[in-house]
Amino acid sequence: MDSWKSNLTSFALIVLINLPLACCSSLKEALPVSSHLEDNSDNQLLSPKMTFEVTLHGLLLWASLGFLMPIGILIIRLSNREESGTRLKLYFYFHLTVQILSLSIATAGAIKSIKTFENSFNNNHQRIGLALYVAIWVQAAIGFCRPHRGTKKRSLWYFFHWIFGTITCIVGILNIYTGLEAYKKRTKRSVALWTFLFTIEISSMAFFYLFQDKWDYMQKQSVSLREGGQVRPSDDQENSIRDDNGNKNLWREPCSKVNALKNLFN
């Protein structure tokens, strides 16, 4: 199950990393933009105040869905190597704190969007955003309703919580890219630098996510090599601790030295 989940997530992350490079050139023509970034006239730009509001909206949603939520996933994944004890609890509470902070920031961004922008939900960016606001609250409710360990429902809960959280995080990251393109179209400002930096951030997180399994594997290989060098004695050592009948005799060599000393003093 862990291997299957790791392969599925790895494929999703690889698609996610390469998608901006393939789609950025076509998003401007193919993707509808948010109505609060559009106007009846394509030539009319946003006012400085509205530009600030849109920028603040983007920063809040980046902090929530583009940074804190992926960090929370990485943290709980690190806890998989811990069986029990204080470190496992620390990982869990750190994950919980980061995700609550992410939920709070996303909620603040949603409230600000409702109060500030005209939300007609007639385009993909707004529809996806609305679905994400609902999804992150559903994910939080699922997290707080987890069954106790050892029960039959625990495995089903764990799988659903993992897959639903991963999909929500990936869709949130994709919606950040659509928001950047909408901002570029409405303000006529370049977003190449922000797109590049965001892609570097997500790629680094994806690499760390995928590298964890390989790191555990390399550590296990290193331990196996060390144990292999320590356990097996050489042929001379094995022969020196066997008696005439071929049985192991760990006291043969010390006894031989004692007898030699007795003969020396007699």
Side-chain angles (χ1 to χ4, degrees):
M1 176 67 73
D2 291 338
S3 176
W4 178 84
K5 292 191 300 182
S6 178
N7 292 336
L8 178 61
T9 306
S10 301
F11 174 77
L13 289 171
I14 291 171
V15 173
L16 177 62
I17 293 171
N18 290 278
L19 185 63
L21 302 177
C23 296
C24 281
S25 61
S26 61
L27 276 173
K28 184 175 180 180
E29 292 80 10
L31 185 67
V33 296
S34 302
S35 61
H36 61 263
L37 296 180
E38 278 190 313
D39 201 279
N40 294 331
S41 174
D42 291 337
N43 296 324
Q44 183 177 355
L45 300 180
L46 294 175
S47 65
K49 180 180 179 180
M50 185 58 65
T51 300
F52 172 78
E53 295 292 345
V54 171
T55 303
L56 181 60
H57 165 79
L59 289 175
L60 288 175
L61 273 297
W62 163 79
S64 173
L65 297 172
F67 182 73
L68 289 174
M69 186 173 290
I71 288 294
I73 292 175
L74 292 177
I75 291 170
I76 203 62
R77 183 172 171 82
L78 285 172
S79 69
N80 292 337
R81 294 183 292 180
E82 304 293 334
E83 296 296 332
S84 60
T86 305
R87 293 186 63 180
L88 181 60
K89 292 181 179 179
L90 287 176
Y91 279 127
F92 170 75
Y93 285 114
F94 197 15
H95 166 79
L96 180 63
T97 302
V98 170
Q99 298 300 61
I100 289 177
L101 184 59
S102 172
L103 178 64
S104 302
I105 294 175
T107 303
I111 294 173
K112 188 168 185 60
S113 298
I114 293 172
K115 289 185 175 181
T116 306
F117 307 129
E118 179 185 354
N119 298 283
S120 57
F121 301 104
N122 59 354
N123 57 76
N124 290 339
H125 183 72
Q126 284 190 342
R127 294 190 191 107
I128 294 173
L130 178 62
L132 284 170
Y133 294 140
V134 175
I136 59 178
W137 274 101
V138 171
Q139 176 71 352
I142 294 172
F144 280 107
C145 296
R146 67 187 186 279
H148 294 289
R149 290 181 180 272
T151 60
K152 294 181 179 180
K153 296 180 180 180
R154 179 74 179 198
S155 297
L156 181 61
W157 169 88
Y158 175 81
F159 175 79
F160 187 78
H161 185 62
W162 166 77
I163 193 68
F164 190 76
T166 302
I167 292 174
T168 301
C169 184
I170 292 175
V171 174
I173 291 171
L174 292 176
N175 212 35
I176 291 175
Y177 282 109
T178 67
L180 285 171
E181 287 300 314
Y183 179 84
K184 174 184 176 181
K185 182 176 181 179
R186 193 61 189 87
T187 63
K188 306 301 182 182
R189 297 179 180 179
S190 175
V191 295
L193 177 61
W194 300 113
T195 302
F196 175 76
L197 293 176
F198 185 58
T199 302
I200 292 297
E201 174 209 325
I202 297 302
S203 300
S204 301
M205 291 182 177
F207 175 80
F208 184 76
Y209 184 94
L210 300 175
F211 184 72
Q212 290 181 50
D213 288 338
K214 299 301 180 183
W215 177 249
D216 291 340
Y217 176 79
M218 288 187 294
Q219 284 183 322
K220 291 177 181 178
Q221 293 299 309
S222 178
V223 170
S224 298
L225 289 174
R226 288 199 301 268
E227 290 179 350
Q230 291 177 356
V231 171
R232 191 181 186 284
S234 64
D235 293 337
D236 293 338
Q237 290 175 331
E238 287 185 348
N239 293 332
S240 65
I241 60 176
R242 293 181 183 275
D243 57 18
D244 295 335
N245 296 324
N247 299 320
K248 291 186 177 181
N249 185 359
L250 300 179
W251 297 100
R252 179 175 178 179
E253 185 176 355
C255 291
S256 300
K257 292 181 178 179
V258 171
N259 292 332
L261 289 174
K262 288 182 178 180
N263 294 331
L264 180 63
F265 289 101
N266 288 336

